[in-house]
Amino acid sequence: MLAIMIGVTACATPAMQSNVSETVEQQILDAARSGSQGYLIVEGLTTEVGQRLAGTEAEARARDWTVEKFKEIGLQNVRVEPFTIPGWERGVETATIVSPYPQQMVVTALGGSVATPFGGVTAEIAYFPTFEDLVSAPAGGLDGKIVFISGLMDKAPDGAGYGPANQKRRSGASEAAKRGAAAVVIRSVGTDSHRFPHTGQMRYAPDLPKIPIAALSAPDANQLERMFEREHSVTMALNIQPRASGDMPSGNVIGEIVGTERPDEIVLISGHLDSWDLGTGAIDDGAGIGISAGAAQVLIEAGLKPKRTIRVVAYGAEEVGLLGGFAYRDLHKEDLINHVLATESDFGSTPAYEVLLGVTEGQEVIKAAADALGLPMGERGTNGGPDIGPIAALGVPTMRFQQDGTDYFDLHHTPDDTLDKIDPDDMAENVAAFALMAWLAANAETDFRSDTGN
Amino acid sequence: MLAIMIGVTACATPAMQSNVSETVEQQILDAARSGSQGYLIVEGLTTEVGQRLAGTEAEARARDWTVEKFKEIGLQNVRVEPFTIPGWERGVETATIVSPYPQQMVVTALGGSVATPFGGVTAEIAYFPTFEDLVSAPAGGLDGKIVFISGLMDKAPDGAGYGPANQKRRSGASEAAKRGAAAVVIRSVGTDSHRFPHTGQMRYAPDLPKIPIAALSAPDANQLERMFEREHSVTMALNIQPRASGDMPSGNVIGEIVGTERPDEIVLISGHLDSWDLGTGAIDDGAGIGISAGAAQVLIEAGLKPKRTIRVVAYGAEEVGLLGGFAYRDLHKEDLINHVLATESDFGSTPAYEVLLGVTEGQEVIKAAADALGLPMGERGTNGGPDIGPIAALGVPTMRFQQDGTDYFDLHHTPDDTLDKIDPDDMAENVAAFALMAWLAANAETDFRSDTGN
């Protein structure tokens, strides 16, 4: 026994100064870190399905693929919980500077945007360096114009720049419509300087005209700004022809490791299955599917039987408004009281640098997992992830591994979101974190559900 | 005088241990390095014209722009030497995997390719990991198939990986046609992993069927390879609709600083004005236009009068087969004997790391320039650059600043070849090199023309 302890001590990494018992937990970490369970899942999904736009037949194929994969890795109770969403699909999209410097730009429609009139709209551009400049512009004065909203996004590990930069994507169309504009182009919400536009969902405010909105790549936004440095009047022809395709099927794919002692109590780990249509949805969010399902696979392969049920959810239709997350909330409303802990990976494939708490009870279990992984606890709280938000709002306890998203928005929602951007070792580390956390939460004697929750 | 000499010594950089006289030459280097002549030219060209595909009205606008710019910076004898080229323009281009994993890929037609039949060609793919694999394949066996040629390109400062990797682009269509194929897709010739295809000129061998050829982005080529790891049969629908647009105008734009003592003797510095149509041609070759014209501008602004004539040439139609270079050779055939030295910048905007000789006489002048710039002499010879090749072959002495092209093929011939990829300081250093070299060559007492030349 002494010899074994010495051996363990000699092999221990700095991350292993923990009070986690070293037998099963270390076995989980080792199996995940030396395996490629998560990477192979995202590799399969992105290769064999590719893009998976919500509501399309591609997303349906992704559900079929995931059902098969979940069964293959040994999950139980594999099923799809279907729901219906408003479909939207991309069409022709072109942006041309007509004058003073005729040239094509690289553009993509934002999700949910209406089309321009057939053949497009040609108009003078009204340039706003930032979204705030548009919001503070007086009513009127933009009649019939194409509004261009620029503004840079800051890089940050936690993606803190996304919210502010995203205002123009979310609300740019209605703010411009309010002032009479005919259409909007924005500088892509992103942190790269490649000639890719970033798509993403937009929203129309009620009671305002719906006008088309599209995103230019960063180099094209720079180009437009240089034109405005030279000339007061720049005219663009914008033609985007996306279409609303009516009610379309989506669904959440679910699989479980049924608990041995408290099977009704759920530890939920998840990612989202749908992607935008420009890339193959590798970092957003094939990675999250691989991380959560791969974590379950590690436990199954090790023959480990958790006391509570570990549920893996592959949410549908996240990109278009967390529709899978809301559908889950609605379908499981009566059952949410049994959700002990929930989390999601939806921030790429790089490993976590801190752990965030969305619980008041049972923090010691999450801290033990963080210790075992060598991760500090973060200061901020969490709602567990985008699709967890709706159930977190009703009291489901959550935690989150805060993955390093410094470079996430270089790729996010672009054609460049492809498998080659994922490091298999990163995936393995994330799988280790999810497997360990799920295991500890499923077996913890303490509960995460406070009396005031639910 | 002593005080001045001390001042110069104190300010000298390590690069300045030279036998170049320090008055005028140092003035040139200082003016170029502290200026932005070259950067402003490429900024203007890429912004105010954008892409400049050979033979299009965009290239014609680029000639107009360049004539105006050359006049504005004070060049003399500004003129266009027109010639005619076979036009080619891009049309619709899509590549879809039909089975087993339906999805779109990102594809672009190679320059000069014929179109697929209207509506495209759908066929099983024959996969060749390298061009050599195709070349060693037996006759027949590819009847009606779409050939996919993969193969990676090595990164190197001197771009040594380009030639080998480029064989599939240049000759892939005819090698496949020889064996009965219906069409070809290649892994883009490039060193990046972004979802951009690289275009570039292809060639048809005489007496073989002309079949369409297009390039997939690197992530898409990876994706296809992963499909072949899983399945023996992969079917693609390829639709590219470029068209040959008949005889179209192109031209070389020329401007000069006329020599004071030997005005008939020419020192030629150059870049090429045309670009591919996907990006805005910033590094290829707006940079070369900025470097060569910016160098002349530095001399003009300093009021310096060279003894020989310094001629700036902005070649047209380089990308489609060095057609401007050949047109120059033909038009100036009788006059080539008067070309004392010629060079071109066509390898991006990063500074040189060595200097290459394409002369036997007058090497000491070029070495003095290299010394003053802190650059070593390279081992290899040079033909002075792509558009200089045709006159070098007839005996015109050449040299070349070997720019660092390690990352050049990340951007080359892609949509991502945009101004933001250029560092203004890099441009200034290149302008310094060109200005100094042109000045020294134009004033050298020794000649570069050997008796055996021409």
Side-chain angles (χ1 to χ4, degrees):
Chain A
M1 201 49 195
L2 182 64
I4 290 168
M5 288 302 290
I6 289 169
V8 168
T9 305
C11 296
T13 67
M16 284 307 302
Q17 342 87 326
S18 71
N19 18 11
V20 171
S21 68
E22 276 185 332
T23 50
V24 174
E25 289 76 4
Q26 189 59 45
Q27 182 190 350
I28 291 170
L29 294 179
D30 290 347
R33 285 171 173 158
S34 64
S36 49
Q37 293 87 351
Y39 181 77
L40 288 177
I41 291 169
V42 62
E43 194 256 11
L45 177 63
T46 55
T47 302
E48 297 174 17
V49 180
Q51 70 87 11
R52 311 170 292 281
L53 183 64
T56 63
E57 61 78 34
E59 198 199 20
R61 278 189 284 116
R63 285 193 295 282
D64 294 344
W65 186 95
T66 304
V67 164
E68 289 308 304
K69 180 60 65 179
F70 278 12
K71 288 178 179 170
E72 180 188 319
I73 66 178
L75 288 168
Q76 300 158 275
N77 299 329
V78 176
R79 60 196 186 273
V80 175
E81 294 181 348
F83 53 91
T84 299
I85 68 165
W88 180 91
E89 294 194 47
R90 194 175 302 284
V92 165
E93 37 196 32
T94 61
T96 308
I97 301 300
V98 176
S99 70
Y101 307 121
Q103 57 194 277
Q104 294 288 124
M105 295 199 153
V106 175
V107 73
T108 201
L110 295 182
S113 175
V114 298
T116 56
F118 186 78
V121 55
T122 299
E124 197 177 12
I125 296 175
Y127 167 41
F128 295 93
T130 68
F131 178 71
E132 293 68 31
D133 292 327
L134 171 61
V135 171
S136 59
L142 300 181
D143 281 2
K145 291 191 174 175
I146 296 175
V147 164
F148 166 46
I149 316 170
S150 193
L152 298 173
M153 175 175 164
D154 294 328
K155 277 204 177 201
D158 65 355
Y162 185 51
N166 210 12
Q167 289 182 290
K168 64 179 179 285
R169 193 187 90 197
R170 291 276 178 187
S171 308
S174 289
E175 288 294 338
K178 198 185 291 181
R179 293 167 176 81
V184 180
V185 290
I186 64 169
R187 174 190 285 273
S188 280
V189 176
T191 49
D192 63 302
S193 60
H194 295 299
R195 205 179 187 189
F196 294 120
H198 297 235
T199 189
Q201 194 68 7
M202 54 76 60
R203 289 275 174 268
Y204 289 114
D207 308 324
L208 281 171
K210 295 184 177 182
I211 63 172
I213 181 167
L216 297 170
S217 79
D220 288 285
N222 295 342
Q223 185 87 324
L224 253 187
E225 291 184 351
R226 283 190 295 270
M227 291 184 188
F228 277 101
E229 285 169 12
R230 290 163 157 80
E231 300 282 344
H232 293 299
S233 177
V234 178
T235 300
M236 174 181 275
L238 179 69
N239 185 16
I240 60 171
Q241 296 296 331
R243 68 185 186 89
S245 44
D247 284 351
M248 297 297 285
S250 187
N252 299 325
V253 183
I254 295 180
E256 296 171 341
I257 306 173
V258 176
T260 51
E261 295 183 14
R262 303 175 188 176
D264 292 343
E265 295 187 13
I266 307 296
V267 173
L268 189 158
I269 57 179
S270 64
H272 70 81
L273 186 56
D274 67 306
S275 73
W276 281 106
D277 52 339
L278 302 177
T280 61
I283 67 148
D284 186 15
D285 183 31
I289 300 297
I291 291 164
S292 49
Q297 186 178 352
V298 165
L299 301 178
I300 294 166
E301 287 173 352
L304 295 170
K305 310 283 188 190
K307 294 177 182 172
R308 297 186 174 97
T309 290
I310 295 173
R311 177 176 290 173
V312 182
V313 184
Y315 289 101
E318 188 272 347
E319 295 293 0
V320 296
L322 317 178
L323 301 185
F326 286 112
Y328 185 94
R329 176 198 66 186
D330 294 345
L331 188 68
H332 293 270
K333 206 155 218 167
E334 301 306 317
D335 184 39
L336 289 183
I337 189 68
N338 291 323
H339 285 60
V340 171
L341 190 68
T343 193
E344 181 175 29
S345 169
D346 181 24
F347 208 50
S349 57
T350 49
Y353 62 89
E354 65 181 14
V355 176
L356 305 179
L357 291 169
V359 300
T360 48
E361 303 297 316
Q363 297 192 355
E364 70 283 1
V365 179
I366 296 166
K367 287 176 179 166
D371 276 354
L373 292 158
L375 293 172
M377 301 303 297
E379 298 285 316
R380 296 171 302 126
T382 183
N383 70 352
D387 294 294
I388 307 300
I391 59 174
L394 297 183
V396 170
T398 71
M399 61 77 59
R400 199 167 195 201
F401 290 106
Q402 176 62 57
Q403 295 171 240
D404 185 344
T406 306
D407 298 326
Y408 182 67
F409 294 98
D410 288 358
L411 303 170
H412 178 253
H413 296 187
T414 73
D416 214 18
D417 179 4
T418 52
L419 182 69
D420 52 299
K421 311 310 183 301
I422 293 183
D423 179 337
D425 290 340
D426 284 355
M427 283 295 290
E429 187 60 29
N430 279 314
V431 168
F434 266 58
L436 181 70
M437 186 69 250
W439 176 254
L440 293 177
N443 291 287
E445 287 308 309
T446 55
D447 204 329
F448 302 92
R449 295 167 295 180
S450 64
D451 289 335
T452 54
N454 296 291
Chain B
M1 198 52 194
L2 182 64
I4 291 171
M5 288 302 290
I6 289 171
V8 167
T9 305
C11 294
T13 66
M16 284 307 302
Q17 340 88 327
S18 70
N19 18 12
V20 170
S21 69
E22 275 183 333
T23 49
V24 173
E25 289 76 6
Q26 189 60 43
Q27 182 191 350
I28 291 170
L29 293 179
D30 290 347
R33 286 171 173 156
S34 65
S36 48
Q37 292 88 350
Y39 182 77
L40 288 177
I41 291 169
V42 62
E43 195 256 10
L45 177 63
T46 56
T47 302
E48 297 174 18
V49 181
Q51 70 86 12
R52 311 170 292 282
L53 183 64
T56 64
E57 63 78 33
E59 197 199 21
R61 278 189 284 113
R63 284 193 295 280
D64 293 344
W65 187 95
T66 305
V67 164
E68 287 309 305
K69 181 59 65 179
F70 279 10
K71 289 179 179 169
E72 181 187 318
I73 65 178
L75 287 168
Q76 300 159 274
N77 299 331
V78 176
R79 62 196 185 272
V80 176
E81 295 181 345
F83 53 92
T84 300
I85 68 166
W88 179 92
E89 295 196 46
R90 196 174 300 285
V92 165
E93 37 195 32
T94 62
T96 308
I97 300 300
V98 176
S99 72
Y101 307 122
Q103 57 194 275
Q104 293 288 125
M105 295 199 154
V106 176
V107 74
T108 201
L110 295 183
S113 175
V114 298
T116 56
F118 186 78
V121 55
T122 299
E124 197 177 11
I125 296 176
Y127 166 41
F128 294 93
T130 69
F131 178 70
E132 291 70 30
D133 292 326
L134 171 62
V135 171
S136 59
L142 300 180
D143 281 2
K145 290 192 175 176
I146 295 175
V147 164
F148 166 45
I149 316 170
S150 192
L152 299 174
M153 175 177 164
D154 294 328
K155 278 203 177 200
D158 65 355
Y162 185 52
N166 210 12
Q167 290 182 290
K168 61 180 182 286
R169 193 188 90 198
R170 291 275 178 189
S171 309
S174 290
E175 288 294 337
K178 197 185 294 183
R179 293 164 177 82
V184 181
V185 290
I186 64 169
R187 174 189 286 271
S188 281
V189 176
T191 51
D192 64 303
S193 59
H194 295 298
R195 205 179 188 189
F196 294 120
H198 298 234
T199 190
Q201 193 70 6
M202 53 76 62
R203 288 275 176 267
Y204 290 113
D207 308 324
L208 282 171
K210 295 184 177 180
I211 63 173
I213 182 166
L216 298 170
S217 80
D220 288 285
N222 295 341
Q223 186 86 324
L224 253 188
E225 291 185 350
R226 283 190 296 270
M227 292 185 187
F228 277 100
E229 287 169 12
R230 291 162 158 81
E231 301 281 345
H232 292 301
S233 177
V234 178
T235 300
M236 174 180 276
L238 179 69
N239 186 15
I240 60 172
Q241 297 296 331
R243 68 184 186 91
S245 44
D247 283 351
M248 298 295 286
S250 186
N252 299 326
V253 182
I254 294 179
E256 295 170 342
I257 306 174
V258 176
T260 51
E261 295 184 13
R262 304 175 189 176
D264 292 341
E265 295 188 9
I266 307 296
V267 172
L268 189 158
I269 57 178
S270 64
H272 71 81
L273 185 57
D274 66 308
S275 74
W276 282 105
D277 52 339
L278 303 176
T280 60
I283 66 150
D284 186 14
D285 185 28
I289 301 297
I291 290 165
S292 49
Q297 186 179 352
V298 164
L299 300 179
I300 294 167
E301 287 173 351
L304 294 170
K305 309 284 187 191
K307 293 178 183 170
R308 297 188 173 96
T309 290
I310 295 173
R311 177 177 290 174
V312 182
V313 184
Y315 290 101
E318 188 274 347
E319 295 291 1
V320 295
L322 318 179
L323 302 185
F326 286 111
Y328 185 93
R329 177 199 66 185
D330 294 344
L331 188 67
H332 293 271
K333 208 158 217 165
E334 301 306 316
D335 184 40
L336 290 183
I337 188 68
N338 291 323
H339 285 60
V340 170
L341 190 69
T343 193
E344 181 175 30
S345 169
D346 181 23
F347 208 50
S349 56
T350 50
Y353 62 89
E354 65 181 14
V355 176
L356 305 180
L357 290 171
V359 299
T360 48
E361 304 296 316
Q363 295 191 357
E364 71 283 1
V365 179
I366 296 166
K367 287 175 179 167
D371 276 353
L373 291 157
L375 293 172
M377 300 305 296
E379 297 286 315
R380 296 173 300 126
T382 183
N383 69 352
D387 294 294
I388 306 302
I391 57 174
L394 296 184
V396 170
T398 71
M399 59 78 60
R400 200 167 194 201
F401 290 105
Q402 177 61 55
Q403 296 172 241
D404 186 344
T406 306
D407 298 327
Y408 181 68
F409 293 98
D410 288 359
L411 303 169
H412 177 253
H413 296 189
T414 75
D416 214 17
D417 179 4
T418 52
L419 182 68
D420 52 299
K421 310 310 182 301
I422 292 183
D423 179 337
D425 290 341
D426 283 354
M427 284 296 290
E429 187 60 27
N430 279 314
V431 168
F434 266 58
L436 181 68
M437 186 69 250
W439 176 254
L440 292 178
N443 291 287
E445 286 308 310
T446 54
D447 204 328
F448 303 91
R449 295 168 293 178
S450 65
D451 288 337
T452 55
N454 294 289

